[in-house]
Amino acid sequence: MIFRQLFEPESSTFTYLLADAVTKDAILVDTVAAMHERDMEQLSSLGLTLRFIVETHVHADHVTGAALLRKKTGAKVAVSKAGGADGVDRALADGDRLEAGRIVLRALATPGHTSGCTSYLVQGQGVVLTGDALLIRGCGRTDFQQGDARALYGNVRGKLLSLPPETKLYPGHDYKGRTVTTVDEERRLNARLKDGISEDQFVTIMANLKLPKPKMIDVAVPANLKCGEGYVEVQKPGAWVFRLGEGEGGDGI
Ligand SMILES: [Fe+2]
């Protein structure tokens, strides 16, 4: 399997490229509009054919590159049905499979950060892409987009941290330069979700974060509810570059 973890520094977003090294069929997960030329270059330099552009959720901190990449490659956009986005080619439910060559992603519904959050198990590889449901030593905030701390606790503990301990977890963001973690590490070291923390304790932690409103949310969410379609038209020049404010880092937007 070809596996690349790509980074966008303005929103600290990870984009994942997965491909079958033999058939050259590829999947991109959580693309960023401003980085679509990088993604196209990765595909062409490796001789890959993009089959699916996948989202872990409707993001509030960046605009997806899905529409731009679909236009250039003809790949299908796959997002959870529960996310409510328009213009989706494959609306995913819990347990659904996406295949590109011998790469198989299995959708694990993990709502709580948003109502449509989905993690993706890379079958046979011991790898899960967790989006913002579970971050390294943290988790996505639960105070907008139908966030629900009780649901997040149940889904992360029941569907992610119950996987084999050596399972590698790749998050949607990291604000401190880290790249990957494991089920074992998070069960021991995640300050919010490690073993021994109760659901009620988790709900109290999340209710007391007092995070500022994400700067990009009023642009990003409406654009992402259309898979990024029309984003360039609604943006003023220069406005799509933004920086995270003090205190926003580390909580998954
Ligand atoms: Fe998010």
Side-chain angles (χ1 to χ4, degrees), residues 57 59-60 113 132 173 252-253:
H57 61 297
H59 303 275
H113 164 59
D132 295 1
H173 301 282
I253 301 164

Side-chain angles (χ1 to χ4, degrees), residues 5-231:
Q5 183 182 38
L6 306 164
F7 188 64
E8 188 282 309
E10 294 298 329
S11 60
S12 298
T13 295
F14 290 124
T15 295
Y16 295 96
L17 170 64
L18 303 97
D20 184 321
V22 175
T23 69
K24 306 290 188 185
D25 295 296
I27 297 175
L28 277 166
V29 179
D30 283 346
T31 63
V32 178
M35 303 302 279
H36 76 281
E37 286 172 358
R38 173 203 64 189
D39 299 340
M40 287 300 298
E41 192 279 330
Q42 286 277 304
L43 294 167
S44 65
S45 65
L46 296 172
L48 303 175
T49 303
L50 188 62
R51 299 297 182 196
F52 290 105
I53 306 154
V54 180
E55 305 287 342
T56 57
H57 61 297
V58 174
H59 303 275
D61 60 346
H62 68 268
V63 174
T64 174
L68 289 164
L69 290 162
R70 175 167 57 188
K71 217 166 281 174
K72 292 188 177 191
T73 66
K76 305 286 185 209
V77 175
V79 189
S80 81
K81 194 174 184 176
D86 290 329
V88 175
D89 303 305
R90 280 282 298 273
L92 299 170
D94 187 43
D96 280 359
R97 290 156 55 101
L98 283 178
E99 293 180 33
R102 290 165 299 170
I103 305 292
V104 179
L105 294 192
R106 185 175 291 278
L108 302 174
T110 50
H113 164 59
T114 72
S115 56
C117 280
T118 302
S119 300
Y120 295 96
L121 178 73
V122 188
Q123 213 154 276
Q125 302 288 334
V127 164
V128 180
L129 312 179
T130 63
D132 295 1
L134 182 65
L135 303 175
I136 300 172
R137 312 293 188 260
C139 64
R141 61 196 288 178
T142 54
D143 57 340
F144 54 69
Q145 290 181 280
Q146 296 83 49
D148 180 334
R150 288 192 187 279
L152 187 62
Y153 182 91
N155 288 321
V156 170
R157 294 287 314 173
K159 290 186 174 175
L160 301 180
L161 297 183
S162 56
L163 292 166
E166 67 278 12
T167 306
K168 291 191 178 79
L169 305 173
Y170 285 91
H173 301 282
D174 193 79
Y175 306 95
K176 295 181 178 174
R178 299 164 299 194
T179 54
V180 62
T181 186
T182 65
V183 166
D184 173 61
E185 276 183 53
E186 296 310 309
R187 287 184 63 169
R188 289 187 293 110
L189 302 169
N190 190 303
R192 298 177 187 169
L193 286 154
K194 65 184 175 186
D195 290 359
I197 295 188
S198 71
E199 182 176 317
D200 285 343
Q201 284 172 311
F202 177 71
V203 169
T204 303
I205 292 167
M206 298 309 288
N208 288 306
L209 292 178
K210 297 186 174 62
L211 298 167
K213 182 181 168 184
K215 288 179 174 55
M216 194 75 169
I217 189 168
D218 294 332
V219 173
V221 170
N224 290 333
L225 283 170
K226 295 185 284 180
C227 298
E229 203 69 63
Y231 171 62

